[in-house]
Amino acid sequence: MIRSIWLAGLALLAAPVHADVPSIPGVDAPELAALGPNKVGFRSVLLTHKNQPDVENANPEGTEAPLVDRTLRVDIWYPATVKNGAKPVVYRGSLWAEPPFPPVHFAQKGMAVSDAKAAGGKHPLVIVSHGYSNNPAVMTWLTENLASKGYVVAAIHHNDPNPYVASPGTRAAPNFNRPRDIVFVAGELRAVLGDLIDADNVALIGYSQGGYGVLTAGGASLDPAGPNMDLVAGGWLKTFARGRVQADAMALKGVKAVVALAPAGGAPRSLWGAEGLAALTAPLLLIHGDSDPVVDYKSGALAAFNGAVNSHRYLLTYKQAGHAIALNPAPPEMRGTVWDMDWFEDPIWRQDRVNAINLHFITAFLAVHLRKDDSKAAYLNVAVENSDDGQWNAPAGTAWGAYSPGGEGVTLWKGFQRRHARGMTLQHQEAAK
Protein backbone atom coordinates (compact mmCIF):
# COMPACT_ATOMS: atom_id res chain seq x y z
CA MET A 1 0.00 0.00 0.00
CA ILE A 2 1.35 3.40 -0.94
CA ARG A 3 0.95 5.75 1.96
CA SER A 4 0.17 9.43 1.65
CA ILE A 5 -0.01 12.33 4.03
CA TRP A 6 -1.09 15.83 3.12
CA LEU A 7 -0.74 18.49 5.75
CA ALA A 8 -3.78 20.76 5.51
CA GLY A 9 -2.09 23.45 7.60
CA LEU A 10 0.46 24.01 10.32
CA ALA A 11 -0.81 26.04 13.26
CA LEU A 12 1.19 27.18 16.23
CA LEU A 13 -0.98 27.23 19.36
CA ALA A 14 -0.40 27.28 23.09
CA ALA A 15 0.11 23.92 24.80
CA PRO A 16 2.06 22.63 27.77
CA VAL A 17 5.01 20.30 27.26
CA HIS A 18 4.41 16.91 28.84
CA ALA A 19 4.95 13.21 28.31
CA ASP A 20 2.99 12.88 25.06
CA VAL A 21 5.36 15.18 23.17
CA PRO A 22 7.02 12.71 20.74
CA SER A 23 10.49 14.21 21.03
CA ILE A 24 10.62 13.55 24.80
CA PRO A 25 11.53 9.87 25.31
CA GLY A 26 10.03 7.70 28.07
CA VAL A 27 11.81 6.14 31.02
CA ASP A 28 12.53 2.91 29.12
CA ALA A 29 14.37 4.71 26.31
CA PRO A 30 18.02 3.81 25.75
CA GLU A 31 20.57 6.27 27.06
CA LEU A 32 21.31 8.53 24.09
CA ALA A 33 17.64 9.11 23.23
CA ALA A 34 17.35 11.65 26.06
CA LEU A 35 16.88 15.32 25.21
CA GLY A 36 19.99 17.43 24.95
CA PRO A 37 20.76 20.57 26.98
CA ASN A 38 19.32 23.11 24.55
CA LYS A 39 15.90 24.70 24.33
CA VAL A 40 14.46 24.55 20.82
CA GLY A 41 13.22 27.22 18.44
CA PHE A 42 11.11 26.70 15.32
CA ARG A 43 10.45 28.64 12.14
CA SER A 44 9.56 28.01 8.51
CA VAL A 45 10.98 29.52 5.35
CA LEU A 46 9.87 29.40 1.73
CA LEU A 47 12.51 28.66 -0.90
CA THR A 48 11.91 28.88 -4.65
CA HIS A 49 13.78 26.70 -7.11
CA LYS A 50 13.32 28.58 -10.34
CA ASN A 51 12.70 27.07 -13.77
CA GLN A 52 12.34 23.46 -12.75
CA PRO A 53 10.71 20.78 -14.94
CA ASP A 54 7.15 20.14 -13.79
CA VAL A 55 7.41 16.36 -14.12
CA GLU A 56 4.30 15.84 -11.98
CA ASN A 57 1.90 17.65 -14.29
CA ALA A 58 3.45 17.04 -17.69
CA ASN A 59 1.55 15.19 -20.42
CA PRO A 60 2.53 11.53 -19.87
CA GLU A 61 2.37 10.95 -23.62
CA GLY A 62 4.57 13.92 -24.43
CA THR A 63 8.31 14.40 -24.49
CA GLU A 64 8.41 17.77 -22.75
CA ALA A 65 7.84 18.95 -19.19
CA PRO A 66 7.10 22.67 -18.75
CA LEU A 67 9.44 24.70 -16.58
CA VAL A 68 7.93 26.22 -13.42
CA ASP A 69 9.15 27.77 -10.18
CA ARG A 70 9.10 25.01 -7.54
CA THR A 71 8.37 26.53 -4.11
CA LEU A 72 9.32 24.49 -1.06
CA ARG A 73 8.50 25.16 2.56
CA VAL A 74 11.31 24.17 4.90
CA ASP A 75 10.68 23.77 8.64
CA ILE A 76 13.70 24.58 10.79
CA TRP A 77 14.40 23.58 14.39
CA TYR A 78 17.43 25.06 16.14
CA PRO A 79 19.06 25.57 19.57
CA ALA A 80 17.41 28.61 21.11
CA THR A 81 17.12 30.94 24.04
CA VAL A 82 13.55 30.59 25.31
CA LYS A 83 11.83 33.01 27.66
CA ASN A 84 10.17 31.66 30.78
CA GLY A 85 6.53 30.88 30.12
CA ALA A 86 6.95 30.78 26.33
CA LYS A 87 4.28 28.61 24.72
CA PRO A 88 5.42 25.61 22.68
CA VAL A 89 3.98 24.80 19.29
CA VAL A 90 1.16 22.48 18.36
CA TYR A 91 1.40 21.13 14.82
CA ARG A 92 -1.90 20.59 13.00
CA GLY A 93 -2.32 18.48 9.91
CA SER A 94 -4.39 15.90 8.10
CA LEU A 95 -3.93 12.46 6.58
CA TRP A 96 -5.77 10.80 3.75
CA ALA A 97 -8.42 8.50 5.20
CA GLU A 98 -9.31 5.13 3.75
CA PRO A 99 -11.04 5.85 0.41
CA PRO A 100 -13.64 7.15 -0.16
CA PHE A 101 -13.67 9.00 3.17
CA PRO A 102 -12.36 12.57 3.56
CA PRO A 103 -9.04 13.36 5.24
CA VAL A 104 -8.72 13.05 9.00
CA HIS A 105 -7.41 16.12 10.82
CA PHE A 106 -5.16 15.86 13.85
CA ALA A 107 -3.08 17.90 16.29
CA GLN A 108 0.41 17.03 17.47
CA LYS A 109 2.01 18.63 20.53
CA GLY A 110 5.56 19.93 20.37
CA MET A 111 8.22 21.38 22.65
CA ALA A 112 9.74 23.98 20.29
CA VAL A 113 8.91 27.68 20.58
CA SER A 114 8.05 29.57 17.43
CA ASP A 115 10.58 32.25 16.42
CA ALA A 116 12.65 31.89 19.60
CA LYS A 117 16.02 33.61 19.50
CA ALA A 118 18.73 31.33 18.12
CA ALA A 119 21.52 30.35 20.51
CA GLY A 120 25.14 29.83 19.50
CA GLY A 121 26.42 29.28 15.99
CA LYS A 122 28.26 26.98 13.61
CA HIS A 123 25.94 24.12 14.49
CA PRO A 124 26.01 21.00 12.30
CA LEU A 125 23.14 20.94 9.79
CA VAL A 126 20.82 17.94 9.44
CA ILE A 127 18.44 17.85 6.45
CA VAL A 128 15.37 15.60 6.79
CA SER A 129 13.35 14.16 3.90
CA HIS A 130 9.95 12.65 4.79
CA GLY A 131 8.10 9.66 3.29
CA TYR A 132 5.92 9.73 0.17
CA SER A 133 3.31 12.49 0.64
CA ASN A 134 4.25 12.71 4.35
CA ASN A 135 5.14 15.99 6.01
CA PRO A 136 7.74 17.16 8.55
CA ALA A 137 5.06 17.58 11.23
CA VAL A 138 4.82 13.79 11.66
CA MET A 139 8.56 13.39 12.37
CA THR A 140 8.97 15.80 15.28
CA TRP A 141 10.17 12.90 17.47
CA LEU A 142 13.41 13.33 15.51
CA THR A 143 13.64 17.00 14.54
CA GLU A 144 12.94 18.54 17.94
CA ASN A 145 15.12 16.01 19.76
CA LEU A 146 18.15 16.58 17.53
CA ALA A 147 17.81 20.36 17.83
CA SER A 148 17.95 20.00 21.62
CA LYS A 149 21.33 18.31 21.09
CA GLY A 150 22.84 21.26 19.24
CA TYR A 151 21.94 20.52 15.62
CA VAL A 152 20.08 22.76 13.23
CA VAL A 153 17.48 20.51 11.60
CA ALA A 154 15.81 21.45 8.33
CA ALA A 155 12.89 19.31 7.13
CA ILE A 156 11.58 19.79 3.59
CA HIS A 157 7.91 19.80 2.54
CA HIS A 158 8.33 17.95 -0.77
CA ASN A 159 4.71 18.45 -1.91
CA ASP A 160 4.35 14.98 -3.44
CA PRO A 161 1.36 14.14 -5.65
CA ASN A 162 -1.60 12.19 -4.30
CA PRO A 163 -0.76 8.59 -5.31
CA TYR A 164 -4.40 7.46 -5.14
CA VAL A 165 -5.39 9.52 -8.19
CA ALA A 166 -2.05 10.03 -9.94
CA SER A 167 -0.92 8.42 -13.19
CA PRO A 168 2.14 6.14 -13.10
CA GLY A 169 4.26 8.96 -14.49
CA THR A 170 3.07 11.38 -11.85
CA ARG A 171 3.65 8.84 -9.09
CA ALA A 172 7.23 8.45 -10.34
CA ALA A 173 7.90 12.21 -10.17
CA PRO A 174 9.36 12.14 -6.62
CA ASN A 175 12.20 9.98 -7.93
CA PHE A 176 13.30 13.09 -9.79
CA ASN A 177 12.28 15.73 -7.26
CA ARG A 178 13.54 14.26 -3.98
CA PRO A 179 17.31 14.38 -4.47
CA ARG A 180 16.99 17.63 -6.43
CA ASP A 181 15.05 19.23 -3.57
CA ILE A 182 17.65 18.11 -1.04
CA VAL A 183 20.60 19.46 -3.01
CA PHE A 184 18.80 22.75 -3.70
CA VAL A 185 17.69 23.30 -0.08
CA ALA A 186 21.16 22.53 1.27
CA GLY A 187 22.63 25.20 -0.97
CA GLU A 188 19.99 27.81 -0.13
CA LEU A 189 20.26 27.28 3.63
CA ARG A 190 23.88 28.36 3.55
CA ALA A 191 22.61 31.88 2.83
CA VAL A 192 19.38 31.71 4.86
CA LEU A 193 20.99 30.44 8.07
CA GLY A 194 24.40 32.07 7.76
CA ASP A 195 26.65 31.62 10.78
CA LEU A 196 24.00 29.63 12.65
CA ILE A 197 25.25 26.56 10.79
CA ASP A 198 28.52 24.98 9.78
CA ALA A 199 27.74 24.65 6.09
CA ASP A 200 30.50 22.10 5.62
CA ASN A 201 29.20 19.79 8.33
CA VAL A 202 25.99 18.30 6.92
CA ALA A 203 24.07 15.05 7.45
CA LEU A 204 21.03 13.73 5.57
CA ILE A 205 18.19 11.71 7.13
CA GLY A 206 15.31 10.25 5.10
CA TYR A 207 12.38 7.88 5.56
CA SER A 208 10.91 5.65 2.84
CA GLN A 209 10.81 7.82 -0.32
CA GLY A 210 13.00 10.20 1.65
CA GLY A 211 15.40 7.31 2.21
CA TYR A 212 15.74 7.02 -1.56
CA GLY A 213 16.25 10.78 -1.67
CA VAL A 214 19.07 10.89 0.87
CA LEU A 215 20.86 7.85 -0.54
CA THR A 216 20.81 9.46 -3.99
CA ALA A 217 21.70 12.96 -2.80
CA GLY A 218 24.29 11.34 -0.53
CA GLY A 219 26.16 9.88 -3.49
CA ALA A 220 24.46 6.73 -4.85
CA SER A 221 24.36 7.27 -8.62
CA LEU A 222 21.26 6.40 -10.65
CA ASP A 223 21.34 3.50 -13.10
CA PRO A 224 20.47 4.81 -16.60
CA ALA A 225 18.66 1.51 -17.24
CA GLY A 226 16.87 1.50 -13.91
CA PRO A 227 13.10 1.50 -13.28
CA ASN A 228 11.16 4.77 -13.57
CA MET A 229 13.65 6.21 -16.05
CA ASP A 230 11.02 5.99 -18.79
CA LEU A 231 8.14 7.00 -16.51
CA VAL A 232 9.40 10.45 -15.49
CA ALA A 233 8.12 12.97 -18.04
CA GLY A 234 10.42 14.48 -20.62
CA GLY A 235 13.24 12.03 -19.89
CA TRP A 236 14.35 14.29 -17.06
CA LEU A 237 15.43 11.48 -14.72
CA LYS A 238 17.67 10.07 -17.46
CA THR A 239 19.36 13.47 -17.71
CA PHE A 240 20.80 12.97 -14.22
CA ALA A 241 21.62 9.26 -14.48
CA ARG A 242 25.11 7.85 -14.14
CA GLY A 243 27.36 8.78 -17.03
CA ARG A 244 25.22 11.74 -18.15
CA VAL A 245 26.45 15.32 -18.15
CA GLN A 246 24.32 16.40 -15.18
CA ALA A 247 24.77 13.26 -13.06
CA ASP A 248 26.86 15.07 -10.46
CA ALA A 249 24.07 17.62 -9.89
CA MET A 250 21.97 14.89 -8.23
CA ALA A 251 24.45 14.58 -5.34
CA LEU A 252 25.35 16.92 -2.47
CA LYS A 253 29.09 17.27 -2.18
CA GLY A 254 30.80 16.71 1.14
CA VAL A 255 28.01 15.00 3.06
CA LYS A 256 29.41 13.76 6.37
CA ALA A 257 26.73 11.15 7.22
CA VAL A 258 23.56 9.59 5.77
CA VAL A 259 20.72 7.94 7.70
CA ALA A 260 18.06 6.05 5.71
CA LEU A 261 15.01 4.54 7.43
CA ALA A 262 13.07 1.92 5.41
CA PRO A 263 14.59 3.34 2.21
CA ALA A 264 12.69 2.99 -1.04
CA GLY A 265 14.48 2.53 -4.35
CA GLY A 266 15.41 -1.14 -4.26
CA ALA A 267 12.34 -2.83 -5.78
CA PRO A 268 11.19 -4.13 -8.17
CA ARG A 269 14.69 -3.34 -9.48
CA SER A 270 17.28 -1.14 -7.89
CA LEU A 271 17.27 2.48 -9.01
CA TRP A 272 21.03 2.55 -8.48
CA GLY A 273 22.34 -0.91 -9.31
CA ALA A 274 25.56 -2.30 -7.88
CA GLU A 275 27.71 0.46 -9.38
CA GLY A 276 25.45 3.16 -7.98
CA LEU A 277 25.48 1.84 -4.42
CA ALA A 278 29.23 1.38 -4.57
CA ALA A 279 29.52 5.11 -5.34
CA LEU A 280 28.37 5.91 -1.78
CA THR A 281 31.33 6.87 0.37
CA ALA A 282 29.70 8.83 3.21
CA PRO A 283 29.20 6.92 6.49
CA LEU A 284 25.78 5.25 6.41
CA LEU A 285 23.24 4.17 9.02
CA LEU A 286 20.35 2.08 7.68
CA ILE A 287 17.28 1.24 9.80
CA HIS A 288 14.51 -1.14 8.67
CA GLY A 289 11.94 -3.67 9.82
CA ASP A 290 12.47 -7.12 8.33
CA SER A 291 8.72 -7.63 7.70
CA ASP A 292 8.02 -4.39 5.83
CA PRO A 293 5.09 -4.91 3.39
CA VAL A 294 5.59 -1.51 1.70
CA VAL A 295 9.34 -1.37 1.07
CA ASP A 296 10.87 -4.82 0.92
CA TYR A 297 13.62 -5.29 3.49
CA LYS A 298 15.85 -7.59 1.44
CA SER A 299 15.89 -5.33 -1.62
CA GLY A 300 15.77 -2.21 0.55
CA ALA A 301 18.04 -1.60 3.53
CA LEU A 302 19.72 -5.01 3.43
CA ALA A 303 20.64 -4.61 -0.26
CA ALA A 304 21.91 -1.09 0.38
CA PHE A 305 24.00 -2.33 3.31
CA ASN A 306 25.54 -5.12 1.24
CA GLY A 307 26.03 -2.90 -1.82
CA ALA A 308 27.49 0.27 -0.30
CA VAL A 309 30.90 -1.38 -0.07
CA ASN A 310 32.83 1.90 -0.02
CA SER A 311 30.93 3.29 2.95
CA HIS A 312 31.55 2.75 6.66
CA ARG A 313 28.06 1.47 7.42
CA TYR A 314 25.59 0.06 9.94
CA LEU A 315 22.27 -1.76 9.57
CA LEU A 316 19.82 -1.76 12.50
CA THR A 317 17.03 -4.28 11.93
CA TYR A 318 13.80 -4.54 13.90
CA LYS A 319 12.63 -8.15 13.87
CA GLN A 320 9.03 -8.55 12.64
CA ALA A 321 8.56 -4.79 12.27
CA GLY A 322 6.86 -3.32 9.22
CA HIS A 323 7.09 0.04 7.49
CA ALA A 324 5.88 2.32 10.30
CA ILE A 325 9.22 2.92 12.00
CA ALA A 326 9.74 6.65 11.55
CA LEU A 327 6.59 8.64 12.41
CA ASN A 328 5.32 10.04 15.69
CA PRO A 329 2.97 7.86 17.75
CA ALA A 330 -0.56 8.17 16.39
CA PRO A 331 -2.33 11.22 17.81
CA PRO A 332 -5.82 10.65 19.30
CA GLU A 333 -7.62 11.67 16.11
CA MET A 334 -5.78 8.96 14.17
CA ARG A 335 -6.79 6.07 16.41
CA GLY A 336 -10.36 5.65 15.18
CA THR A 337 -9.70 3.13 12.39
CA VAL A 338 -7.02 0.60 11.58
CA TRP A 339 -6.19 2.50 8.37
CA ASP A 340 -5.53 5.69 10.35
CA MET A 341 -3.47 3.88 12.98
CA ASP A 342 -1.38 2.14 10.35
CA TRP A 343 -0.06 5.45 9.09
CA PHE A 344 1.86 5.80 12.33
CA GLU A 345 2.09 2.57 14.27
CA ASP A 346 3.53 -0.89 13.81
CA PRO A 347 1.16 -3.72 14.83
CA ILE A 348 3.85 -5.33 17.00
CA TRP A 349 6.38 -2.69 18.05
CA ARG A 350 5.41 0.22 20.33
CA GLN A 351 5.97 3.38 18.33
CA ASP A 352 7.49 5.47 21.11
CA ARG A 353 9.86 2.57 21.76
CA VAL A 354 10.99 2.39 18.12
CA ASN A 355 11.52 6.15 18.00
CA ALA A 356 13.58 6.11 21.20
CA ILE A 357 15.84 3.36 19.84
CA ASN A 358 16.17 5.25 16.55
CA LEU A 359 17.16 8.38 18.47
CA HIS A 360 19.74 6.47 20.50
CA PHE A 361 21.57 5.19 17.44
CA ILE A 362 21.12 8.29 15.28
CA THR A 363 22.50 10.41 18.12
CA ALA A 364 25.57 8.21 18.43
CA PHE A 365 26.07 8.10 14.65
CA LEU A 366 25.86 11.88 14.18
CA ALA A 367 28.09 12.51 17.21
CA VAL A 368 30.83 10.33 15.73
CA HIS A 369 30.68 11.71 12.20
CA LEU A 370 29.63 15.34 12.64
CA ARG A 371 31.11 16.14 16.05
CA LYS A 372 34.11 13.77 15.90
CA ASP A 373 33.10 12.40 19.29
CA ASP A 374 34.75 8.98 19.15
CA SER A 375 33.44 8.10 22.62
CA LYS A 376 30.02 7.51 21.06
CA ALA A 377 31.36 4.80 18.73
CA ALA A 378 31.01 2.29 21.59
CA TYR A 379 27.22 2.63 21.32
CA LEU A 380 27.40 1.58 17.65
CA ASN A 381 30.09 -1.11 17.75
CA VAL A 382 28.06 -3.52 19.85
CA ALA A 383 29.56 -6.70 21.34
CA VAL A 384 26.96 -9.06 19.83
CA GLU A 385 25.06 -8.60 16.57
CA ASN A 386 21.82 -10.09 17.90
CA SER A 387 20.51 -7.96 20.76
CA ASP A 388 18.80 -10.98 22.34
CA ASP A 389 22.21 -12.53 23.04
CA GLY A 390 23.46 -9.63 25.16
CA GLN A 391 24.27 -10.20 28.83
CA TRP A 392 25.15 -7.97 31.79
CA ASN A 393 25.85 -9.37 35.23
CA ALA A 394 25.28 -6.04 36.97
CA PRO A 395 26.88 -5.57 40.41
CA ALA A 396 24.62 -5.91 43.44
CA GLY A 397 22.77 -2.72 44.22
CA THR A 398 22.72 -1.49 40.61
CA ALA A 399 19.49 0.36 39.90
CA TRP A 400 17.10 -1.67 37.76
CA GLY A 401 16.88 1.10 35.19
CA ALA A 402 20.63 1.59 34.91
CA TYR A 403 22.16 1.59 31.45
CA SER A 404 24.54 -1.11 30.34
CA PRO A 405 28.10 0.28 30.51
CA GLY A 406 29.41 -2.02 27.77
CA GLY A 407 33.06 -2.90 27.91
CA GLU A 408 34.85 -6.03 29.04
CA GLY A 409 32.56 -8.87 30.07
CA VAL A 410 29.38 -6.96 29.15
CA THR A 411 27.61 -7.90 25.92
CA LEU A 412 24.26 -6.20 26.60
CA TRP A 413 24.25 -3.34 24.10
CA LYS A 414 25.79 -0.23 25.67
CA GLY A 415 23.19 2.29 26.81
CA PHE A 416 20.29 -0.19 27.04
CA GLN A 417 18.54 -1.24 30.24
CA ARG A 418 18.26 -4.86 31.35
CA ARG A 419 15.60 -6.80 29.39
CA HIS A 420 15.14 -3.84 27.03
CA ALA A 421 17.58 -4.73 24.25
CA ARG A 422 15.40 -7.30 22.51
CA GLY A 423 14.20 -8.05 19.00
CA MET A 424 16.97 -6.32 17.04
CA THR A 425 20.16 -6.92 15.14
CA LEU A 426 22.91 -4.40 14.44
CA GLN A 427 25.39 -5.17 11.67
CA HIS A 428 28.55 -3.23 10.94
CA GLN A 429 30.92 -3.18 7.97
CA GLU A 430 33.99 -1.07 7.34
CA ALA A 431 34.46 0.61 3.98
CA ALA A 432 36.47 -1.34 1.43
CA LYS A 433 40.11 -0.32 1.19
Side-chain angles (χ1 to χ4, degrees):
M1 180 184 73
I2 297 177
R3 296 165 176 234
S4 66
I5 297 178
W6 181 260
L7 187 71
L10 186 68
L12 306 179
L13 303 175
V17 173
H18 52 74
D20 58 358
V21 174
S23 56
I24 303 176
V27 295
D28 64 343
E31 183 178 3
L32 299 185
L35 288 175
N38 298 286
K39 301 296 184 182
V40 178
F42 171 82
R43 67 185 178 106
S44 290
V45 298
L46 292 177
L47 303 176
T48 301
H49 201 180
K50 292 185 176 296
N51 298 319
Q52 294 305 297
D54 187 7
V55 295
E56 292 178 16
N57 299 306
N59 182 348
E61 304 300 326
T63 59
E64 299 293 332
L67 298 182
V68 298
D69 290 347
R70 181 170 170 81
T71 299
L72 300 168
R73 179 179 294 279
V74 181
D75 291 343
I76 302 169
W77 291 264
Y78 53 91
T81 301
V82 174
K83 296 179 180 179
N84 290 336
K87 304 301 183 183
V89 301
V90 168
Y91 309 98
R92 293 190 180 275
S94 65
L95 303 173
W96 294 107
E98 184 173 6
F101 298 106
V104 179
H105 297 270
F106 65 90
Q108 179 63 74
K109 295 172 183 175
M111 59 170 281
V113 173
S114 180
D115 295 322
K117 182 180 178 181
K122 297 297 181 182
H123 300 293
L125 174 64
V126 178
I127 296 176
V128 175
S129 182
H130 58 70
Y132 197 113
S133 290
N134 292 181
N135 184 278
V138 297
M139 293 185 69
T140 58
W141 65 270
L142 172 71
T143 54
E144 289 189 338
N145 187 284
L146 291 182
S148 80
K149 292 168 177 170
Y151 298 93
V152 172
V153 184
I156 306 167
H157 294 247
H158 290 286
N159 304 321
D160 301 318
N162 180 356
Y164 294 116
V165 299
S167 67
T170 299
R171 286 198 300 272
N175 290 284
F176 176 80
N177 287 326
R178 283 308 178 95
R180 299 269 297 157
D181 289 348
I182 293 167
V183 173
F184 167 71
V185 166
E188 292 295 293
L189 289 180
R190 290 184 171 95
V192 171
L193 298 176
D195 289 339
L196 183 62
I197 62 168
D198 178 354
D200 296 321
N201 203 12
V202 180
L204 308 178
I205 300 178
Y207 167 56
S208 193
Q209 186 71 32
Y212 156 79
V214 300
L215 288 173
T216 305
S221 59
L222 294 172
D223 185 348
N228 296 323
M229 284 292 166
D230 292 327
L231 286 176
V232 175
W236 275 100
L237 193 58
K238 293 180 180 179
T239 303
F240 294 88
R242 186 167 55 249
R244 304 298 172 87
V245 174
Q246 297 192 65
D248 288 346
M250 212 54 138
L252 181 63
K253 307 302 184 216
V255 172
K256 296 295 191 297
V258 177
V259 180
L261 300 102
R269 303 194 320 276
S270 173
L271 289 168
W272 311 283
E275 185 177 347
L277 289 172
L280 273 167
T281 58
L284 177 62
L285 171 61
L286 295 149
I287 304 174
H288 209 156
D290 66 7
S291 299
D292 189 336
V294 178
V295 175
D296 178 65
Y297 169 75
K298 290 182 179 179
S299 57
L302 183 60
F305 178 76
N306 290 330
V309 294
N310 294 305
S311 169
H312 182 100
R313 60 205 186 275
Y314 297 87
L315 171 59
L316 173 65
T317 302
Y318 292 106
K319 299 176 186 178
Q320 294 188 288
H323 194 61
I325 61 165
L327 299 190
N328 294 335
E333 301 91 334
M334 301 304 299
R335 295 178 177 273
T337 71
V338 174
W339 173 284
D340 295 342
M341 280 279 293
D342 280 355
W343 277 105
F344 292 88
E345 309 252 356
D346 185 80
I348 295 175
W349 282 81
R350 231 178 62 217
Q351 194 63 27
D352 66 319
R353 178 71 178 154
V354 171
N355 290 347
I357 295 169
N358 290 341
L359 284 169
H360 175 80
F361 286 110
I362 291 171
T363 297
F365 184 71
L366 296 183
V368 170
H369 296 292
L370 270 66
R371 298 192 182 281
K372 306 304 179 186
D373 181 358
D374 292 336
S375 70
K376 298 300 188 294
Y379 294 90
L380 296 162
N381 301 326
V382 293
V384 290
E385 181 177 298
N386 187 339
S387 67
D388 298 358
D389 295 335
Q391 299 290 328
W392 176 29
N393 185 18
T398 302
W400 184 251
Y403 300 117
S404 167
E408 186 176 356
V410 178
T411 57
L412 177 64
W413 289 2
K414 182 175 173 63
F416 279 78
Q417 297 151 320
R418 283 172 283 186
R419 301 185 186 176
H420 286 266
R422 293 290 184 269
M424 299 169 286
T425 61
L426 181 59
Q427 298 171 258
H428 172 216
Q429 286 289 337
E430 299 286 345
K433 295 182 180 179

